[in-house]
Amino acid sequence: MSDYQQKVSGSFNERMRLIRLRRKKENLRFWDEFRIVPRGLIWTMVALFLLAQGIAFSVNQWQFNHTGEIFAPELRDTPILSYLALAGVVTAVWLVMVTFIFLIAYVNRDAKRRGMNSTLWTLLVVVLLPASTFIGFLIYFLMREPLPYDCPQCGKAVGARFNFCPNCKCNLHPSCPNCKREVVETDKFCPYCAYELGTPAPSSAALSTVPNSSL
Ligand SMILES: [Zn+2]
Ligand SMILES: [Zn+2]
């Protein structure tokens, strides 16, 4: 394997490792995540919704009174249905628009709190939006850095890439002494080889019988 290939696959493995770390440490809930969308933006969108409904209603009524034309002409006999249909269309358009705007706002805020370049990522999802709709968001959700979390020993915020806490030297990615795979601090037994964690490392004789598997 050439040096270049090795480097590329190395960075790919590092990327997969980060994705795994994220899955392990991040327990994201939709509504908690939604809260990072700025309040002002949410209220602006609500106001826009009411305004759009008001305008659609007024225009429809004005047309009906002056020209006899009404939205969805087949509902002419029951104008209330026409108004409801129009309100439904306005709501649908608003929902699609608001989904994208909130997603863009989320990417912007989320990238910032993950220490990523938020301007660049926001631009990327916006630029890819007309051509490929969700691809930009997909790339973002696959590529985003794991969230910083609190050191389990001293509580100081640590980056997900850190192996040791810079404040208290706590081992942030403890591995099973038997099979060398990564385990979580709270595991009592290794999920890969059932080795009892918290007991001293096995003798070198026992170790040599178990093939070391790399992460
Ligand atoms: Zn610490
Ligand atoms: Zn193990």
Side-chain angles (χ1 to χ4, degrees), residues 51-72:
L51 189 73
Q53 290 288 13
I55 290 173
F57 180 84
S58 315
V59 169
N60 201 23
Q61 193 166 41
W62 189 89
Q63 281 219 320
F64 189 49
N65 290 343
H66 288 76
T67 64
E69 300 268 332
I70 197 163
F71 179 79

Side-chain angles (χ1 to χ4, degrees), residues 31-51:
W31 285 111
D32 289 344
E33 289 303 287
F34 186 74
R35 283 203 197 112
I36 75 169
V37 173
R39 278 285 163 82
L41 184 67
I42 296 173
W43 287 116
T44 308
M45 294 318 289
V46 170
L48 212 67
F49 174 74
L50 296 175
L51 189 73

Side-chain angles (χ1 to χ4, degrees), residues 151-156 158 165-170 172:
C151 165
Q153 194 165 295
C154 71
K156 218 173 168 234
V158 289
C165 171
N167 188 45
C168 71
K169 209 182 154 195
C170 169
L172 297 170

